[in-house]
Amino acid sequence: MSSSSAAVHVLHDNPEWIPPFRRAFEAEGVPLVEWHLGDGTLDLDAEPPRGVIWSRLSASSHTRGAPLAKDAARSITAWAASWGRRVVNGQHVADLEVSKVIQHAALRRAGFDVPRTIAVFGRDGLIDAAQDIEAPFITKHNQGGKGLGVRRFDDHGAFAAYVRGEDFEQAADGITLLQELLVASEPAVTRAEFVGGQFVCAVRVDTSAGGFELCPAEACALPGAGDDGVAPEPMFRLRPEVSAEDPLIQRYAALLTDLGIEIAGIEYMTTTDGRTVTYDVNTNTNYNPDVEAGLEVSAARRIARYLGGLLHEAEQAR
């Protein structure tokens, strides 16, 4: 990868997620160059391209034919930083993106209420480990995204049969999470979006249809009408009552600053017993087009402006 002109270089593993960002960068007049993760070569003695390196590594990259994406992202961002390039969501953020264990540890350390979770390395110890968590419970893959490995078990016998059976789904990194089943006070979760460490918006995600794949991206959009021809209620909608002054939002902003994460979405929910539980930090954030249309400045354009500013600073420092 080489470039004679300065640009924002976006590392990614899914071309389908890039068009909304390309439109936003074009609108802001910021040059954007794609860098697909997981293939190609890296000359460690060569100087990186001019500009800003922005990693959009996805935890689910291995499901789209890019099993080496996480290692590529770690390598490229570390290499670029060693040459003094401005890197956004670099090597340590890539580690967090692909590990719910690391996310959980960071959230717990910062004092957030997190789900009771047991991480099991390999398949052999799963049945015994599950005895330490009350049923019903769920499983997740440590390297997740797309609801990978998320299953509900109402008793330990059913779980043991699953682990011993042919339908068992091995996690990409061999780590399976056993987690308490959280019951929401309403069929919805909230995702708080941040760009450059600043709160952008909160989005209510309707979960009444069930399932765990809550992708908000334009490329994930479902058809706009049900079987009766009537448009369904939107799965994603703004929560304008949640502001940057909200104490929880301020705590999230402080957490991201502490972790060196510049662009992210944090998901949380309110349970029937009154808990506010934070369960996911997503550094490969995508935005729903309907929600974007309701913002004065879309999140994608906020990113373009933020990274454009960093690009200008980098060029001024040359």
Side-chain angles (χ1 to χ4, degrees), residues 39-72:
D39 50 33
T41 60
L42 186 64
D43 186 345
L44 300 182
D45 294 318
E47 186 173 351
R50 283 173 51 194
V52 173
I53 308 297
W54 169 35
S55 175
R56 278 185 47 80
L57 170 68
S58 166
S60 58
S61 57
H62 58 289
T63 69
R64 289 183 294 275
L68 303 180
K70 65 179 181 181
D71 297 303

Side-chain angles (χ1 to χ4, degrees), residues 192-225:
E193 299 290 358
F194 297 83
V195 173
Q198 302 297 311
F199 176 68
V200 175
C201 64
V203 179
R204 181 186 186 275
V205 186
D206 189 326
T207 60
S208 59
F212 298 93
E213 186 171 352
L214 307 177
C215 173
E218 180 180 273
C220 300
L222 298 174

Side-chain angles (χ1 to χ4, degrees), residues 239-269:
R239 289 192 60 190
E241 75 277 12
V242 179
S243 72
E245 286 69 44
D246 186 297
L248 181 62
I249 297 301
Q250 291 182 349
R251 290 181 64 202
Y252 286 152
L255 171 71
L256 294 178
T257 297
D258 183 58
L259 295 175
I261 300 173
E262 297 176 72
I263 299 172
I266 300 180
E267 293 183 12
Y268 64 96
M269 64 184 292

Side-chain angles (χ1 to χ4, degrees), residues 66-264:
L68 303 180
K70 65 179 181 181
D71 297 303
R74 289 166 172 155
S75 300
I76 294 168
T77 53
W79 164 73
S82 76
W83 282 84
R85 293 296 186 266
R86 181 63 165 88
V87 176
V88 175
N89 285 5
Q91 177 186 358
H92 66 290
V93 180
D95 291 339
L96 182 141
E97 169 66 19
V98 299
S99 175
K100 294 187 182 300
V101 167
I102 295 177
Q103 294 175 31
H104 188 283
L107 289 166
R108 185 198 55 77
R109 178 179 179 274
F112 292 97
D113 190 348
V114 290
R116 161 76 171 132
T117 304
I118 300 173
V120 183
F121 302 89
R123 185 173 181 174
D124 293 343
L126 277 167
I127 295 174
D128 288 342
Q131 299 303 312
D132 292 330
I133 195 161
E134 185 178 349
F137 60 90
I138 64 172
T139 60
K140 290 182 178 179
H141 287 178
N142 180 55
Q143 184 178 336
K146 297 174 58 179
L148 291 174
V150 180
R151 295 174 180 246
R152 171 176 172 157
F153 296 93
D154 292 319
D155 60 76
H156 291 89
F159 177 68
Y162 165 68
V163 173
R164 295 188 181 108
E166 295 181 357
D167 293 335
F168 177 76
E169 184 181 359
Q170 184 67 266
D173 59 4
I175 305 173
T176 300
L177 306 183
L178 308 177
Q179 194 169 88
E180 68 171 307
L181 177 67
L182 299 171
V183 181
S185 57
E186 62 170 331
V189 299
T190 299
R191 183 179 174 111
E193 299 290 358
F194 297 83
V195 173
Q198 302 297 311
F199 176 68
V200 175
C201 64
V203 179
R204 181 186 186 275
V205 186
D206 189 326
T207 60
S208 59
F212 298 93
E213 186 171 352
L214 307 177
C215 173
E218 180 180 273
C220 300
L222 298 174
D227 294 338
D228 57 2
V230 178
E233 288 295 312
M235 185 175 179
F236 303 91
R237 61 174 58 174
L238 280 171
R239 289 192 60 190
E241 75 277 12
V242 179
S243 72
E245 286 69 44
D246 186 297
L248 181 62
I249 297 301
Q250 291 182 349
R251 290 181 64 202
Y252 286 152
L255 171 71
L256 294 178
T257 297
D258 183 58
L259 295 175
I261 300 173
E262 297 176 72
I263 299 172

